[in-house]
Amino acid sequence: ERAVSQSMMFFYCAGRRMRLGDACEEDLQALLKATAANAAGALSLGELGSFEVESYPLFHNGALVCLGWETT
């Protein structure tokens, strides 16, 4: 295993969290293990689609955005 970056900011889709339920913890742990990064982050609205019924957006439930940066 090798670290992608020493530090990473993660934005995890709230819809993904809702869809996976408790399994989202395993999802995040796998990501942390794969990157070996020090992590910080937040939930996001992730991928939004067209507005459909009664002006509610479609949630695609899959976005996971990672931003690596070097600290000095």
Side-chain angles (χ1 to χ4, degrees), residues 18-65:
M18 289 170 46
R19 187 186 72 211
L20 292 176
D22 291 339
C24 80
E25 295 293 327
E26 293 173 26
D27 194 32
L28 285 169
Q29 289 300 323
L31 180 61
L32 291 173
K33 183 177 179 184
T35 62
N38 295 320
L43 285 176
S44 72
L45 289 179
E47 300 175 64
L48 296 175
S50 301
F51 285 90
E52 297 268 324
V53 180
E54 298 180 30
S55 299
Y56 289 103
L58 291 172
F59 292 93
H60 296 288
N61 302 325
L64 188 59
V65 178

Side-chain angles (χ1 to χ4, degrees), residues 2-9 34-39 67-71:
R2 107 180 143 75
V4 173
S5 177
Q6 280 190 312
S7 300
M8 290 190 105
M9 177 69 72
T35 62
N38 295 320
L67 172 67
W69 75 90
E70 295 298 320
T71 57

